[in-house]
Amino acid sequence: MTPYAPILTSHVGEPNSYSLDFYVTHQQGYEGLRKALTQEPGDIIDQVKTSGLRGRGGAGFPTGLKWQFVLKDTPNPKYICCNADESEPGTFKDHVLMERNPHLLIEGCAIAAFAIGARVAYIYIRGEFYHVQQILEAEIEKAYAAGFLGKNILGSGFDCDVYVHRGAGAYEAGEETALIESLEGKRAQPRIKPPFPAVAGLYQCPTAVNNVETLCNVPLIVLNGPEWFSGMGPEKNGGPKLYCVSGHVKKPGVYEASMHTTLRELIYDHAGGMLDDRPFKAIIPGGSSVPLLLPEHLDTPASFDDIQKAGSMLGSAGLIVLNDSVCMVWLAMNLLHFYRHESCGKCTPCREGCDWLYKLLARIEGGEGQPKDLDLLFGVSSNIVGKTLCAFGDAAATPVLSTMTLFRAEYEAHVREGRCTLTADWRAAHPVMAAH
Amino acid sequence: METVTLTIDGQPITVAKGRTVLQAAIEAGVSVPYYCYHPGISIDGSCRVCVVKIEKMPKLQTSCSTLCADGMVVSTREPDVVDARAGVFEFLLANHPLDCPVCDKGGECPLQDFSYTFGPADSRMDFPRRVFDGEGVKADVDFGPTLMLNRNRCILCTRCVRFMKEIDDDAQIGIVDRGAGSEIATFQEQGVHSLLSGNLMDVCPVGAILTRDYRFKSRPWDNPTVVDTTCTLCSKGCNTSAWLKAKPEWAKGSRLIRMTPRYNPDVNGYWMCDIGRFNYHWVEGESRLRRPMTRNGDVLEPTAWHDLQPRLRDRLRQARGSSESAASSVQAPPVRFLVSAHASTEELFVLKQLVEGLMGSEGLNAVTLAWTTSDKAQPAGTKFKVSRTNAPNVNGARDLGYQVGAGNEGTPDLSALRSAIESGQTAAVYVLDPGPDGSLGDTSWLIAARQNGTLPLLIVQGAVMTDLASAADFVLAGSAFVEKDALYTNDQGRVQAASRAIAPPGEARDDWSILVALGQSLGLALAYESAIDVRRALAATMPDTPYASADLLVVTRPVAARNWLQASNPSERWKWDFLYQDLPPVKGHSVQMEGISPRAAYIPLKLTE
């Protein structure tokens, strides 16, 4: 294992790690903000650009560039929206940061607001994270009381308010424009782009939407310099990274590492190896929406670029590890059950297609499938990919296309033999919620 | 005007800057299907059938949401576009019930028409269709007092949602649930309560929202003719189309089958209100006057026009003569006229000549205009405000020199007329009211004056058997607004024409001709042969006004619907009339398919092994 000292999660095990006192005492708390306020906003953006910080939410878009696109010459206010609607299956890193290290996020929000010229930051938190919201709000109160938020922060003349808004429980609210719609009090459905949020976002004002982990890295960059950040990890993939390892591993959890770390190291060194020491079959490396990788990819570094080269995406770094007991048809059906339930229903291909895909997969998995269903499955998926309003459609079709491409034999076995290759016991132990 | 030039399917097209690719395609006559786009409401980009390929863009783009740019190269016919579009159509029809034979929209349905042109020949969907019928739940439900909603047919384009939010300014419609379970609904299932509700049937591209008024009444192919006309139920003057059902002479029932809005950006946009849309049944209703009548004791007896006219002449002469010995003067004319502001400008013009011929230049003092006003309950921010004045032609009367007080801004003043009648100074009252019942407001005092003998003679010329008409000595059967070529001047001062869609029933006549015949019988030289004669004379007497060219206003006649889609909702029709034909005809020759080989024009069938 490459020696690595956690930075983002260095103290999350301490009982008081969430408190302001702890943050100031042990983590150089709000020093980044103090330093940032002595500089020009443009300099902050330049530093973030130089650092090569890439969005941790899924797309891996350079954060500095995103901030630079935020419209400057406008009479309208600007906004920072922190995307804390962590809903991607297999992803649970932002939860840890917000629950155990909330001030890092609050500081990141303040610096980001300063950098783009906003004075309000909204943290849009997932509906199910009720207790996290309570912690965050309590800590925001303390940050106000200590003068790190509010009017004239640290005597600099800069004002910044941070509000927490809890969603009502929709995966789609994690899409940046749907998040903005939801924040405005509407249904969480995506908007057509362009215009992008950087031009017309929240209340049609210039807005930057950033993931929690992304914003948490900002104080570190300001404090330690962009070179420190970019030096940690492969080129263009710098900085600390949180990995959510789940599935068939001995110790599932959030692990912090540099992006030099390979998938094999994450599974066998960090997460303690395969559950029950069964053979590794495949891994979904970036949350449920990305293509699977096979054993031959295990030595791929878990960086944005390397995973992409291997044919998948790092996404939100939710590593779902699968051992040889997993039926790939069942996997696809399980995931499509989720996507079908979460499709917002705004655009036609996603609304109708996800439902159709799920029905097809359920039929095949149930042993009722016919040979033509496999082509149909492929055809329906292809009719969704690239035709939807937001990336949801692509995400929903990916599990089907990926499992069909890599494990076609399993699908054919279901259709030909009318049954699954897995034992009935295993199925009984892994029930899929009934469709409703 | 700043323009941009782009290429669509190899054809260079120049459009105004700010137009979308879809709008450019429509203008150029390139066939691109769409559902969520509607020219009158905001862009949604959700139905995904308008996808096109644009060079240098990695993915297919929705043309409704892509702005035209100089040098853009757009393709709507390349195989990947054709496939993608067909794929979306397969999705749209996957859960659509395809109950076209019993659906009112069938035959004028954009989903039908576009699916035939762009959709796959066959659906691969073999699961049961999604239905909203269930225990205690029906898919086909009441949707407020004027509408019905069929959720099974809905394709969730959300035009109705956006119409209510943006045009009506009362977002009563929303979507509940999400994903494949999404359904159009109103809060607490209370339905749509709006003065603009009928427009929802027009914006709905499928048969999901239907008006109760038109439901199960006709099929598009049974409405072969349509007349462009003007609504006269308030002073707004919405441009409308009157739809006529084809039926044999002997068949019962009405010919006028529905009213729909006709696009006019300066007056009503794409919309009309429910009053104009649904309140046309009186035209062919039970209480309609079909023949002239004279009083014989307690009863009104049908009379032939040629019998009635001499008797009417004699009674009027008598009325004028009897009061000449008394203090007959300009201030107390013996014969007074009560005229509804539903009278057209031509009728008011002839009437003016009549009263001036009889009483000299002060003759107009004998005429009192009447109309009603009512406050319409509409949200404060509505984009379509219905006028307060319930009559079409107060401004027309003012322009001709009639006294209308504050006009559209105020209420009519009948006090002088009433005191003149109730004091017994008036020998006869001639009422002209071609509007629906109630157009004159309260007339009980006039009825009472006639019945207690204070008023010796009451003549009513109108379209409906009102209480006032049943108290009259002479009832002259006139015509309603859809039965005549007539001018009305709306509250903006625009001179607009209504057109004769159907003939007046029975022996009823054009109102101007009744007045002309009356004038002639009283010895006046009113020489008009036709409505257009009156209009020409009117134009000649009012130079340098909008009326000067009124005789050039098009008099439209029922025209054959050139295509089923013309018998469709107004936005589709508007495209046909103003933006060329962007939809292929359902059958027959297609202009836009000229020069295109059939191979390219049809989408190859997708065969599944």
Side-chain angles (χ1 to χ4, degrees), chain B residues 45 55 82 118 130 144 172 188 192 220 274 277 307 363 437 462 589 592:
Chain B
E55 261 184 25
V82 170
F118 299 104
R130 173 180 64 230
Q172 294 178 27
Q188 300 174 341
V192 177
D274 287 356
R277 188 187 294 267
D307 288 339
D437 196 358
H589 176 70
Q592 61 178 310

Side-chain angles (χ1 to χ4, degrees), chain A residues 233-289:
Chain A
E235 203 187 339
K236 292 186 185 164
N237 291 273
K241 182 80 195 82
L242 298 188
Y243 294 97
C244 323
V245 189
S246 63
H248 294 140
V249 289
K250 284 184 179 145
K251 291 193 294 172
V254 177
Y255 298 98
E256 185 178 336
S258 86
M259 284 192 258
H260 282 303
T261 320
T262 63
L263 295 174
R264 187 185 300 281
E265 285 170 338
L266 284 166
I267 296 168
Y268 290 94
D269 298 342
H270 289 85
M274 295 299 292
L275 189 67
D276 303 333
D277 293 318
R278 291 189 73 140
F280 171 90
K281 184 172 183 181
I283 182 169
I284 306 178
S288 63
S289 307

Side-chain angles (χ1 to χ4, degrees), chain B residues 207-220:
Chain B
I209 298 180
L210 299 168
T211 60
R212 296 191 191 197
D213 184 63
Y214 183 64
R215 201 172 184 237
F216 301 146
K217 237 167 69 173
S218 185
R219 307 310 308 261

